Amino acid sequence: MTFSLPLTPQYTQLSGAGKTPSATNNNDDDFSALGYYAVFATIAFTLVVFLFEAYLDFRQRSSYYKTEFPSELSKTVGNIDAEREKELKEKARDVDDDGKKREEGNDGDKAAGDGKTKQDDINKNKESLDKNKPLLPQLQSKFSKAQSYGLDKITFSIISSTYNLFEEIIFLLCGYIPYCWDLSCHVGKAYFGWNENDNEIKISLIFMAVNVIIGTITSLPFELYSTFRIEKKHGFNKQTPQLFFTDKVKGLLLTCVFGGPFVALLLKIIKMGGESFYIYVWAFTFVFSVFMMTIVPVVIMPLFNKYEPLPEGSLKEQIYELAGRLEFPLTKLFVMDGSKRSSHSNAFMFGFFKNKRIVLFDTLMEQVHDDEILAILGHELGHWKMGHTVTNFVISQLYTGASFYCFSLCFNSHELYRAFGFNDESRPVPTIIALLLFFQTIWAPIDKALSYVMTVFSRKCEFEADKFSVDLGMSQKLQSGLCKIHLENLGA
């Protein structure tokens, strides 16, 4: 490895085979700026992105040292509590003939009454939210805990991203990619009799398997610390080590079942598609995306969580009534045992065309009232009604098509591959390597720029969905519901 331009990985195909670069590889007449600066530019860009994101992280981290509760938040939540108190007084005056007071307007809360024991268990390591009491005192009492949780998370994020930076640069300079490919070729030949000329796709699957295994091993300590130290410390983690590793094994098996065939078909299409292979790849990725969006909620997700129909009651009736008002083709309502792994809460929708489904986390049903769940669903349904879901899907497909079109333009850039250690002219450049290096180098700046644009667009969609729920007349309930979720999740 040299530290003068051009930067060269320690391990290359030639050095691994005990060969020296030929004169044709060092001919000044064949100078290519792409090959000359590729490794240096990749490292420089990686450092620039890391420093910029580290600056944002440290700026955010400094806010977690504040000890004074934000005055603007105090004023806003105070108004929510005042409106809530006014509403309760009005309901208290509305008494039935039998003298029974109407409760919160939520018969479904009664159905959840026997869940208190469950919720007590969920929150045994942290103070539980009392959803019937004013929010402001509870927010103020948990402010220091929320700051502590945010500080722990952002500090952990900085440490893990720093490790990832060093790992990426060290792997790059040491020649990890060409070494890993040569190792895959050796394994394929020694155990299966495969070679890279006749069995490139099979060797590529070994290469991907090796990378998945190494990636799993290097990321495991960070995942364990995040789950069993940070999340447990703040009362969120409910996983046992057995469940954690069971999930990990399931994930790896699913990667083999779905990822392996996907990669094999992708490489086959690129090889057989000619100069316009990107069109066929685009069509293939579109079909695969739709396929995965169809089977993930109904086949894969139930492998990790239990989904049960939402019990009959006023909440179910109100959700169907809301869906009917918005012409949302709701067919099924589920409750998911999110408390199996964490006390964080959520809700989401899935399905195509006239077959839509909504899933509520059991933790969400414990943390907020039914009318607040409706307001939160009003926000989620706003994404559907305003076309955000379709828009994001279209953007992702356009992104995929554009990236593979650009890849087709660079597919034969052998100087790029030589720069990263694939410098044996007698051997073919594997398609999987060409893809990997393209997305790691040439496409990386474009991808990062687009990710920032999409973040801004995502925030715009969130505000629009909030406004949609407000326009449905759910402003007060949306505010109180989101405050309760924020409180339960120790949002800082």
Side-chain angles (χ1 to χ4, degrees):
M1 178 175 59
T2 61
F3 288 96
S4 60
L5 292 179
L7 288 178
T8 305
Q10 178 70 32
Y11 181 95
T12 67
Q13 286 186 327
L14 289 177
S15 67
K19 303 177 183 178
T20 57
S22 63
T24 55
N25 287 347
N26 295 313
N27 193 336
D28 291 337
D29 294 335
D30 295 331
F31 172 80
S32 167
L34 178 62
Y36 192 82
Y37 294 106
V39 176
F40 171 77
T42 300
I43 294 175
F45 176 74
T46 302
L47 283 170
V48 168
V49 171
F50 170 79
L51 291 174
F52 175 69
E53 294 181 344
Y55 161 73
L56 297 178
D57 285 341
F58 276 102
R59 190 176 68 171
Q60 178 67 27
R61 188 173 185 269
S62 64
S63 68
Y64 292 125
Y65 285 102
K66 295 179 180 179
T67 57
E68 183 179 352
F69 193 82
S71 58
E72 188 65 28
L73 180 61
S74 177
K75 179 180 178 182
T76 301
V77 179
N79 291 335
I80 294 173
D81 284 340
E83 288 293 327
R84 178 66 173 170
E85 183 178 1
K86 180 180 177 182
E87 179 186 353
L88 290 176
K89 287 180 178 179
E90 291 175 354
K91 287 184 176 181
R93 290 194 296 266
D94 188 5
V95 181
D96 292 332
D97 292 337
D98 59 2
K100 290 184 179 180
K101 193 185 300 182
R102 293 180 187 172
E103 300 185 358
E104 316 270 328
N106 296 303
D107 293 338
D109 286 348
K110 291 182 179 180
D114 58 354
K116 273 196 177 281
T117 302
K118 180 179 181 181
Q119 183 66 9
D120 289 341
D121 181 63
I122 289 174
N123 294 288
K124 65 182 180 180
N125 291 328
K126 64 185 181 75
E127 295 179 12
S128 177
L129 163 72
D130 188 333
K131 58 185 179 182
N132 295 310
K133 290 184 177 180
L135 293 172
L136 183 56
Q138 297 185 77
L139 276 174
Q140 291 172 330
S141 67
K142 284 194 173 185
F143 180 68
S144 61
K145 295 179 181 178
Q147 293 289 86
S148 175
Y149 180 51
L151 181 62
D152 284 350
K153 287 201 302 179
I154 197 73
T155 301
F156 174 77
S157 175
I158 292 171
I159 293 173
S160 61
S161 61
T162 302
Y163 168 80
N164 290 334
L165 171 72
F166 280 102
E167 178 186 87
E168 185 174 350
I169 292 177
I170 290 172
F171 277 16
L172 188 60
L173 293 176
C174 290
Y176 165 79
I177 298 177
Y179 175 80
C180 190
W181 176 258
D182 286 353
L183 175 64
S184 302
C185 291
H186 173 73
V187 171
K189 184 176 182 180
Y191 293 96
F192 305 102
W194 299 338
N195 65 77
E196 61 183 340
N197 290 303
D198 301 324
N199 310 104
E200 181 189 319
I201 293 178
K202 295 177 181 178
I203 299 293
S204 297
L205 293 178
I206 296 176
F207 174 80
M208 294 301 297
V210 171
N211 276 274
V212 168
I213 293 171
I214 293 176
T216 300
I217 293 172
T218 56
S219 64
L220 188 59
F222 294 95
E223 293 180 25
L224 288 170
Y225 186 86
S226 174
T227 302
F228 294 103
R229 174 59 181 172
I230 296 178
E231 293 297 307
K232 184 176 181 179
K233 171 185 175 182
H234 296 280
F236 291 114
N237 176 54
K238 306 305 168 189
Q239 288 192 84
T240 61
Q242 180 182 358
L243 180 59
F244 176 87
F245 284 105
T246 299
D247 284 350
K248 186 65 65 178
V249 172
K250 288 180 182 178
L252 290 173
L253 290 175
L254 289 169
T255 299
C256 294
V257 171
F258 293 100
F262 172 78
V263 171
L265 286 171
L266 177 66
L267 297 179
K268 192 72 173 179
I269 292 171
I270 292 175
K271 284 185 166 298
M272 298 180 63
E275 293 183 357
S276 300
F277 70 81
Y278 59 91
I279 298 176
Y280 306 110
V281 168
W282 193 1
F284 168 65
T285 55
F286 171 79
V287 172
F288 186 79
S289 297
V290 173
F291 170 71
M292 292 303 295
M293 290 170 64
T294 303
I295 70 164
V296 165
V298 297
V299 176
I300 296 178
M301 291 172 59
L303 296 175
F304 296 88
N305 291 95
K306 181 188 293 185
Y307 293 80
E308 296 180 339
L310 181 67
E312 298 294 331
S314 67
L315 175 60
K316 186 173 184 177
E317 294 173 359
Q318 291 177 80
I319 292 176
Y320 271 104
E321 190 275 332
L322 175 62
R325 284 170 54 194
L326 301 177
E327 299 180 340
F328 179 76
L330 178 61
T331 57
K332 292 183 180 180
L333 271 169
F334 294 104
V335 178
M336 190 189 91
D337 61 340
S339 58
K340 179 180 180 181
R341 291 175 176 80
S342 172
S343 57
H344 290 300
S345 54
N346 201 357
F348 63 90
M349 305 177 302
F350 65 92
F352 289 102
F353 306 115
K354 300 296 183 180
N355 186 29
K356 304 288 188 181
R357 306 174 186 188
I358 291 178
V359 176
L360 305 175
F361 280 38
D362 56 354
T363 47
L364 177 67
M365 297 179 65
E366 294 289 347
Q367 294 169 4
V368 298
H369 292 297
D370 289 359
D371 48 8
E372 292 164 337
I373 291 178
L374 285 173
I376 293 169
L377 288 180
H379 167 97
E380 298 299 331
L381 290 170
H383 285 304
W384 169 80
K385 192 71 172 178
M386 304 183 78
H388 296 160
T389 306
V390 174
T391 300
N392 279 308
F393 181 74
V394 171
I395 290 174
S396 69
Q397 295 307 309
L398 292 175
Y399 170 87
T400 301
S403 63
F404 277 100
Y405 171 71
C406 292
F407 171 65
S408 71
L409 301 178
C410 307
F411 188 33
N412 295 316
S413 301
H414 294 283
E415 61 274 11
L416 173 65
Y417 313 136
R418 284 197 295 267
F420 285 89
F422 291 85
N423 55 356
D424 191 339
E425 300 292 340
S426 65
R427 299 172 62 183
V429 176
T431 304
I432 189 70
I433 298 300
L435 271 170
L436 182 64
L437 292 179
F438 168 77
F439 282 102
Q440 185 177 338
T441 57
I442 297 174
W443 191 251
I446 300 173
D447 178 71
K448 186 59 66 174
L450 289 176
S451 71
Y452 290 136
V453 173
M454 288 306 298
T455 298
V456 174
F457 177 71
S458 175
R459 300 313 306 157
K460 176 178 177 293
C461 291
E462 291 301 319
F463 287 128
E464 289 179 351
D466 284 342
K467 186 177 184 301
F468 184 86
S469 183
V470 170
D471 291 341
L472 290 174
M474 300 177 173
S475 174
Q476 195 66 34
K477 300 304 179 184
L478 181 64
Q479 291 181 66
S480 60
L482 293 179
C483 280
K484 289 176 181 178
I485 294 174
H486 190 81
L487 177 60
E488 273 296 313
N489 293 317
L490 292 182

